[in-house]
Each structure stands twice: as structure tokens, then as C-alpha cells.
């Protein structure tokens, strides 16, 4: 079986008359973490929304686990085993941490349940201490952890993480890095949208850099790190 889990081919996305993604093409491989890097407004979130069917591709193809998913409804794409952790987190603010997790519980596409409340709380000790707290009363970093934990309750095989470190305190950023590393060791595939390449070093294998909706680099993150031309031109570092 091919190790390509996600395959975008010539994807074009528009918001109304505005052309946002131009012939976007890249692959994510099983059990690896791909960093989708680019400055503010480069098109990272739009790429994730295109994969989820929220900002549908006008042309091109998106293949997941061997079959085409472009043109399918977001709920159908989610049911195939893709989980999105959105940039704005979208926790249910009036509900407790426990309820946020319980609401999201469902078996994976293969019918298996790998994540239960118990092992989520083992993996997220910060959340375990605040099970009864309303999500709206938590800090941005705690909400980010909750959003990630809630995604895992759906037992996804591919996780799309949209700028999980943005605007958070260093201690939470470290915790999120630790979680991504440990998720990766479970064999799940991760696409991580980030502005900050340094955050991705050590937790990602591959990298794609986008600028103004176009791919300007595809390769390993280690090769990217050494490429001063690309990092200097397209990343804010
Ligand atoms: N709903 C929308 N309608 C019109 N244009 C949009 C919409 N959402 C995003 N855009 C535009 O699409 C482009 C790509 O935005 P996108 O959010 O995908 O970038 P990003 O790389 O995720 O950056 P950010 O870090 O700001 O989220 C930007 O020029 C943005 O202004």
C-alpha cells in the first residue's frame, strides 16, 4: 500500500472572485508530520479548509487514503477520518471540558476507538486538572489543548492543525510541541500549518512553504532549515 495518505493535485480555490490557491500540489505521508509554512495570509488556513471541503476546490483533485474527497461535504470528509483543529479553536464555551470531549467522541473511520476520556486525560494532564471548568473560562492555551483533545476524541487518522502555537505563552507552546511529537509516534499523520519554522523543527519531517497561494518549497524540514534563500524570502524569521 502506498504511504501517501493525502494528495493534493493542482488545487485552485477562490473566495468569490478572488483567486486564493494556485495549482496547489503536495503529498502527506503516513505517520509523518508535514509543516505547511508561510507568512500571514499566504493561504495555509485556506489549504486546510479546501481539504475539509469548507472552502471547496474549484478545480484540481484531493485524494485521501486512495480515493477522491474533493466535492464531498465537510461532514463526509470528517467521517473518512480527517480531523481539523481550527485556528480559532471553536470550543463550546458554555460547556465543561468533560462535555466538550464527550460531545466529540466517535469511533474512527475503521470503527476503532483509540482515544477515550481516560487516555485523553493521561495525555493532557493540564486538562485533567480542569475537567469541570467551562471552556470559555480557560486561557487561550488551555482552549488550544482542549481543541486538540476534542479532535482526537473523533479518532482521526489525519490531523490538520491550524497554527496551534499562535499567540500562546512559551510554556503552552512547549506542551503543544510535546503532544505533537507524541502523537506522531502513534502513527497518525499530521499536517501542521505554522508561521514559525522554529516551532516545527524537531516535530516535523517534511515541509511545504507557500507564498501568495503558491508553493515555493517542497522537501524535508531539515533541508528547508538550511535554505537561507527560501527561509529569508518567504518566512518571517
Ligand atoms: N472568507 C474570505 N473571503 C475573502 N478572502 C479571504 C477569506 N478568508 C481568507 N481570505 C484571504 O485569503 C488569503 C489567504 O488567507 P488564509 O487565511 O488562508 O492565510 P493563512 O496563511 O492561513 O494566514 P493567517 O495566518 O492569517 O491565517 C488572504 O489574502 C486572505 O485575506
Amino acid at each position: 500500500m502506498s504511504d501517501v495518505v493525502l494528495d493534493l493535485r493542482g488545487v485552485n480555490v477562490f473566495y468569490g472572485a478572488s483567486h486564493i490557491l494556485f495549482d496547489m500540489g503536495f503529498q502527506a505521508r503516513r505517520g509523518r508530520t508535514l509543516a505547511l509554512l508561510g507568512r500571514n495570509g499566504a493561504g495555509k488556513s485556506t489549504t486546510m479548509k479546501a481539504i475539509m471541503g469548507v472552502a471547496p476546490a474549484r478545480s484540481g483533485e484531493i485524494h485521501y487514503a486512495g480515493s477522491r474527497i474533493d466535492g464531498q461535504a465537510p461532514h463526509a470528509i470528517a467521517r473518512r477520518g480527517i480531523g481539523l483543529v481550527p485556528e480559532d479553536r471553536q470550543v463550546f464555551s458554555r460547556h465543561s471540558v468533560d462535555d466538550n470531549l464527550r460531545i466529540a467522541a466517535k469511533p474512527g473511520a475503521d470503527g476503532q476507538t483509540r482515544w477515550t476520556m481516560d487516555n485523553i486525560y493521561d495525555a493532557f494532564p493540564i486538562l485533567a486538572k480542569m475537567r469541570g471548568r467551562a471552556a470559555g473560562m480557560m486561557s487561550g492555551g488551555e482552549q488550544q489543548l482542549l481543541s486538540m483533545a476534542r479532535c482526537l476524541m473523533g479518532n482521526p487518522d489525519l490531523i490538520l492543525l491550524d497554527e496551534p502555537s499562535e499567540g500562546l505563552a512559551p510554556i503552552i507552546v512547549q506542551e503543544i510541541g510535546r503532544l505533537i511529537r507524541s502523537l506522531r509516534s502513534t502513527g497518525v499523520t499530521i499536517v501542521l500549518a505554522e508561521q514559525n519554522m522554529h516551532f516545527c523543527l524537531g516535530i516535523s519531517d517534511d515541509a511545504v512553504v507557500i507564498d501568495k497561494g503558491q508553493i515555493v518549497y517542497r522537501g524535508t524540514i531539515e533541508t528547508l532549515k538550511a535554505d537561507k534563500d527560501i527561509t529569508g524570502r518567504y518566512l518571517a524569521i
Side-chain angles (χ1 to χ4, degrees), residues 25-221:
F26 65 85
Q27 298 180 329
R29 293 175 186 278
R30 190 174 310 283
R32 291 171 75 89
T33 297
L34 172 95
L36 184 62
L37 290 154
R39 290 201 170 106
N40 221 326
K44 305 179 294 298
S45 298
T46 304
T47 304
M48 299 212 152
K49 288 176 185 164
I51 296 165
M52 288 309 296
V54 177
R58 191 175 288 183
S59 62
E61 297 181 5
I62 303 176
H63 295 249
Y64 171 68
S67 55
R68 263 182 92 164
I69 56 167
D70 55 278
Q72 294 186 15
H75 65 87
I77 293 172
R79 219 181 292 133
R80 294 286 314 274
I82 307 182
L84 171 68
V85 181
E87 195 173 13
D88 58 2
R89 295 159 198 152
Q90 292 179 12
V91 293
F92 301 117
S93 54
R94 292 180 182 208
H95 288 271
S96 66
V97 168
D98 252 3
D99 284 347
N100 267 272
L101 295 177
R102 207 168 283 127
I103 293 163
K106 64 176 169 65
D110 58 2
Q112 301 292 310
T113 299
R114 291 173 295 278
W115 290 96
T116 61
M117 299 285 273
D118 283 346
N119 57 26
I120 282 283
Y121 283 128
D122 286 344
F124 293 80
I126 294 176
L127 297 182
K129 288 190 212 131
M130 41 181 75
R131 297 175 70 135
R133 184 161 318 170
M137 303 299 284
M138 298 163 81
S139 73
E142 290 156 358
Q143 289 187 16
Q144 180 64 47
L145 293 173
L146 177 57
S147 188
M148 288 173 67
R150 193 179 56 178
C151 174
L152 291 176
M153 286 299 286
N155 293 285
D157 299 308
L158 169 66
I159 302 175
L160 310 177
L161 282 171
D162 197 353
E163 298 207 40
S165 79
E166 194 189 13
L168 301 181
I171 184 118
I172 293 273
V173 172
Q174 254 178 32
E175 176 67 4
I176 290 170
R178 182 191 68 77
L179 278 163
I180 294 171
R181 241 191 321 272
S182 73
L183 278 179
R184 185 177 167 215
S185 67
T186 67
V188 77
T189 307
I190 300 172
V191 178
L192 169 65
E194 265 298 328
Q195 292 192 36
N196 180 349
M197 182 184 67
H198 293 291
F199 174 70
C200 300
L201 296 172
I203 59 176
S204 311
D205 307 285
D206 305 306
V208 164
V209 179
I210 56 179
D211 182 60
K212 300 189 189 84
Q214 291 182 307
I215 292 188
V216 293
Y217 173 88
R218 241 185 309 235
T220 67
I221 189 120

